[in-house]
Protein backbone atom coordinates (compact mmCIF):
# COMPACT_ATOMS: atom_id res chain seq x y z
CA UNK A 1 0.00 0.00 0.00
CA UNK A 2 1.02 3.57 -0.47
CA UNK A 3 2.14 5.60 2.54
CA UNK A 4 -0.92 7.84 2.37
CA UNK A 5 -3.23 4.83 2.63
CA UNK A 6 -1.45 3.62 5.78
CA UNK A 7 -1.79 7.07 7.30
CA UNK A 8 -5.48 7.21 6.38
CA UNK A 9 -6.05 3.75 7.87
CA UNK A 10 -4.30 4.85 11.02
CA UNK A 11 -6.65 7.81 11.39
CA UNK A 12 -9.93 6.13 10.48
CA UNK A 13 -9.90 2.35 10.73
CA UNK A 14 -9.48 1.85 14.46
CA UNK A 15 -12.93 3.26 15.25
CA UNK A 16 -14.66 2.54 11.91
CA UNK A 17 -18.04 0.77 12.12
CA UNK A 18 -16.77 -2.15 10.03
CA UNK A 19 -13.81 -2.70 12.33
CA UNK A 20 -16.05 -2.52 15.40
CA UNK A 21 -18.48 -5.06 13.93
CA UNK A 22 -15.66 -7.42 12.96
CA UNK A 23 -14.21 -7.24 16.47
CA UNK A 24 -17.57 -8.16 17.96
CA UNK A 25 -17.77 -11.18 15.64
CA UNK A 26 -14.23 -12.27 16.44
CA UNK A 27 -14.85 -11.88 20.17
CA UNK A 28 -18.02 -13.96 19.91
CA UNK A 29 -16.22 -16.69 17.96
CA UNK A 30 -13.28 -16.82 20.36
CA UNK A 31 -15.56 -16.95 23.39
CA UNK A 32 -17.48 -19.80 21.78
CA UNK A 33 -14.13 -21.60 21.49
CA UNK A 34 -13.40 -20.97 25.18
CA UNK A 35 -10.88 -18.18 24.57
CA UNK A 36 -11.42 -15.29 26.96
CA UNK A 37 -9.73 -11.87 26.73
CA UNK A 38 -7.73 -12.55 29.90
CA UNK A 39 -4.30 -11.37 28.72
CA UNK A 40 -2.75 -14.84 28.95
CA UNK A 41 -2.30 -15.69 25.27
CA UNK A 42 0.44 -15.11 22.74
CA UNK A 43 -1.04 -13.46 19.65
CA UNK A 44 0.41 -13.06 16.15
CA UNK A 45 -1.15 -10.58 13.76
CA UNK A 46 -0.02 -11.11 10.19
CA UNK A 47 -0.27 -8.09 7.94
CA UNK A 48 -0.77 -5.67 10.82
CA UNK A 49 -1.08 -2.63 8.53
CA UNK A 50 -1.31 0.56 10.58
CA UNK A 51 -1.58 -1.35 13.87
CA UNK A 52 -5.22 -0.47 14.43
CA UNK A 53 -6.02 -3.88 15.98
CA UNK A 54 -3.39 -3.67 18.73
CA UNK A 55 -5.71 -2.42 21.50
CA UNK A 56 -8.26 -5.12 20.67
CA UNK A 57 -5.77 -7.97 20.36
CA UNK A 58 -3.75 -7.00 23.43
CA UNK A 59 -6.78 -7.85 25.54
CA UNK A 60 -5.94 -11.49 24.79
CA UNK A 61 -2.24 -11.18 25.66
CA UNK A 62 1.10 -10.17 24.22
CA UNK A 63 0.92 -9.33 20.53
CA UNK A 64 3.53 -9.71 17.79
CA UNK A 65 2.97 -7.99 14.46
CA UNK A 66 4.34 -8.96 11.06
CA UNK A 67 4.18 -6.13 8.55
CA UNK A 68 5.75 -5.76 5.12
CA UNK A 69 5.79 -1.97 4.96
CA UNK A 70 8.23 0.12 7.02
CA UNK A 71 5.51 2.79 7.19
CA UNK A 72 3.01 0.29 8.58
CA UNK A 73 5.58 -1.14 11.00
CA UNK A 74 6.31 2.36 12.29
CA UNK A 75 2.59 3.02 12.83
CA UNK A 76 2.30 -0.32 14.66
CA UNK A 77 5.08 0.73 17.02
CA UNK A 78 3.38 4.08 17.62
CA UNK A 79 0.21 2.22 18.64
CA UNK A 80 2.03 0.10 21.20
CA UNK A 81 3.31 -2.98 19.43
CA UNK A 82 6.65 -3.67 21.06
CA UNK A 83 7.45 -6.65 18.86
CA UNK A 84 7.10 -5.78 15.17
CA UNK A 85 8.68 -7.98 12.53
CA UNK A 86 9.22 -6.14 9.28
CA UNK A 87 9.05 -8.84 6.68
CA UNK A 88 7.36 -10.58 3.81
CA UNK A 89 4.71 -13.07 4.89
CA UNK A 90 5.67 -15.28 1.95
CA UNK A 91 8.95 -16.01 3.78
CA UNK A 92 7.97 -15.59 7.44
CA UNK A 93 7.85 -18.81 9.43
CA UNK A 94 6.68 -18.38 13.03
CA UNK A 95 8.29 -20.48 15.73
CA UNK A 96 6.42 -23.78 16.11
CA UNK A 97 3.96 -23.76 18.97
CA UNK A 98 4.85 -20.20 19.97
CA UNK A 99 1.48 -18.51 19.34
CA UNK A 100 -1.93 -19.33 20.76
CA UNK A 101 -3.87 -17.07 18.39
CA UNK A 102 -2.94 -16.06 14.84
CA UNK A 103 -5.05 -13.43 13.09
CA UNK A 104 -5.25 -11.97 9.61
CA UNK A 105 -7.78 -9.24 9.12
CA UNK A 106 -7.12 -8.10 5.56
CA UNK A 107 -3.96 -9.36 3.93
CA UNK A 108 -4.17 -12.82 2.37
CA UNK A 109 -6.14 -11.60 -0.65
CA UNK A 110 -3.39 -9.18 -1.77
CA UNK A 111 -1.64 -9.93 -5.06
CA UNK A 112 1.80 -10.03 -3.47
CA UNK A 113 0.81 -13.08 -1.38
CA UNK A 114 2.02 -15.91 -3.59
CA UNK A 115 0.39 -18.85 -1.75
CA UNK A 116 -2.31 -17.83 0.75
CA UNK A 117 -2.64 -21.40 1.99
CA UNK A 118 1.04 -21.56 2.83
CA UNK A 119 0.99 -18.25 4.65
Amino acid sequence: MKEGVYLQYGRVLEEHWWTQARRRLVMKLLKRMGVEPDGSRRVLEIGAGAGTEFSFLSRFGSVVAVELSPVGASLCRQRGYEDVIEGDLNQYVPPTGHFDIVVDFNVLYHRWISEPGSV
Side-chain angles (χ1 to χ4, degrees):
M1 277 191 295
K2 295 181 180 180
E3 182 175 346
V5 174
Y6 277 99
L7 297 174
Q8 183 180 15
Y9 273 13
R11 285 190 307 272
V12 175
L13 201 57
E14 188 164 5
E15 299 302 323
H16 193 274
W17 68 267
W18 173 251
T19 306
Q20 297 296 321
R22 182 182 62 214
R23 288 178 188 149
R24 284 191 298 276
L25 290 171
V26 168
M27 183 68 77
K28 190 181 219 178
L29 175 65
L30 288 173
K31 282 187 174 191
R32 195 176 306 155
M33 297 171 60
V35 178
E36 295 291 331
D38 60 7
S40 68
R41 310 271 199 240
R42 294 166 300 182
V43 182
L44 173 66
E45 182 180 14
I46 61 171
T52 56
E53 294 303 325
F54 177 74
S55 61
F56 171 69
L57 294 173
S58 63
R59 295 168 61 191
F60 294 94
S62 61
V63 186
V64 174
V66 179
E67 175 54 43
L68 179 65
S69 165
V71 173
S74 175
L75 290 169
C76 286
R77 289 184 188 98
Q78 290 174 30
R79 291 195 183 285
Y81 280 85
E82 291 180 16
D83 195 355
V84 179
I85 300 164
E86 288 185 46
D88 186 337
L89 290 171
N90 293 298
Q91 277 92 42
Y92 176 70
V93 178
T96 303
H98 186 75
F99 296 103
D100 302 304
I101 301 170
V102 178
V103 297
D104 157 41
F105 289 120
N106 290 308
V107 73
L108 292 180
Y109 63 85
H110 288 285
R111 284 187 305 220
W112 60 271
I113 298 290
S114 58
E115 293 291 328
S118 297
V119 172

